[in-house]
Amino acid sequence: MMEKQERIRQGKPIRMEDIPSIALYMDQVIQLFEQNYHSYKRNEDEKILTKTMINNYAKGKLLPPIKNKRYSKEHILTMSLIYQLKGILSIQDIKTTLDSLNQEVQRDKGNIEDVYEMYVDMINENEEQFNENIEWMEQSIAQNYNEKFPQPNNEMKEVLMINSLVHMSNLYRRLAEAKIDSLSKVEDKK
């Protein structure tokens, strides 16, 4: 399992220093995402980011307004956040989550770079916690399985692990959705 965990952790969000200081055209943005998120792909045919996705994000107002068909650092950072969120959340939930951030950026009151840096720091902490939790889950499943079934069956242990991981994922997703619903209520009061 450690090998799998290492492969999962190889993916990191785009680093600030990887983003050029000049605005990029759409094809350049797609190339930047492909280069930085290639290890996130489950298979080689998977697309990280497409023109259609970017256009949908812009139409859905998930991104700050785009000027002259060029994408700034703020756009790239926002798309990086969207990429991380879209694996679990609906587009509407992502919009609700990012609305206040985008509004602050548009009013020049918020600094998405600072928020993004904090996010990257949190990812590193999350990975440490993830490793500890996975170790504990594997030990717990092995111990409980071995107590109930005298014949070892690694496939059955993997099935139990998969079910446990999916359950944890659902718990985290439901908590995120509850927090989004709270954000939505705050936005409605404004």
Side-chain angles (χ1 to χ4, degrees), residues 50-186:
T50 66
K51 290 179 181 185
T52 302
M53 288 178 196
I54 295 172
N55 286 330
N56 287 340
Y57 299 157
K59 284 180 196 170
K61 299 189 190 287
L62 276 75
L63 298 173
I66 297 156
K67 297 174 185 158
N68 302 322
K69 297 183 180 184
R70 297 186 78 168
Y71 298 85
S72 66
K73 184 179 264 190
E74 288 81 14
H75 290 111
I76 293 167
L77 295 176
T78 303
M79 282 188 263
S80 183
L81 292 172
I82 292 169
Y83 178 75
Q84 297 297 323
L85 295 169
K86 76 177 187 161
I88 301 292
L89 300 176
S90 70
I91 291 295
Q92 184 56 48
D93 283 347
I94 294 170
K95 183 178 181 338
T96 301
T97 301
L98 297 179
D99 263 351
S100 58
L101 179 63
N102 287 334
Q103 288 172 14
E104 292 296 308
V105 169
Q106 287 177 25
R107 289 188 291 237
D108 290 329
K109 292 184 178 178
N111 186 343
I112 191 169
E113 291 180 29
D114 291 338
V115 172
Y116 191 83
E117 285 291 333
M118 288 173 55
Y119 164 71
V120 171
D121 290 343
M122 284 179 5
I123 285 174
N124 294 327
E125 292 175 23
N126 289 347
E127 285 180 0
E128 288 177 31
Q129 189 67 47
F130 173 79
N131 288 332
E132 291 174 16
N133 287 345
I134 295 303
E135 257 182 64
W136 176 83
M137 288 170 80
E138 286 177 332
Q139 290 171 0
S140 177
I141 287 170
Q143 180 180 352
N144 288 330
Y145 187 87
N146 293 340
E147 286 175 8
K148 292 185 193 245
F149 304 101
Q151 297 294 329
N153 184 334
N154 288 336
E155 278 185 15
M156 207 46 56
K157 290 178 190 175
E158 285 292 301
V159 168
L160 289 168
M161 185 67 173
I162 291 166
N163 280 286
S164 184
L165 289 169
V166 169
H167 176 72
M168 292 300 293
S169 176
N170 282 324
L171 291 173
Y172 282 119
R173 178 186 47 81
R174 288 197 303 260
L175 178 58
E177 289 170 345
K179 292 195 171 290
I180 291 166
D181 292 343
S182 294
L183 268 180
S184 220
K185 289 175 186 171
V186 169

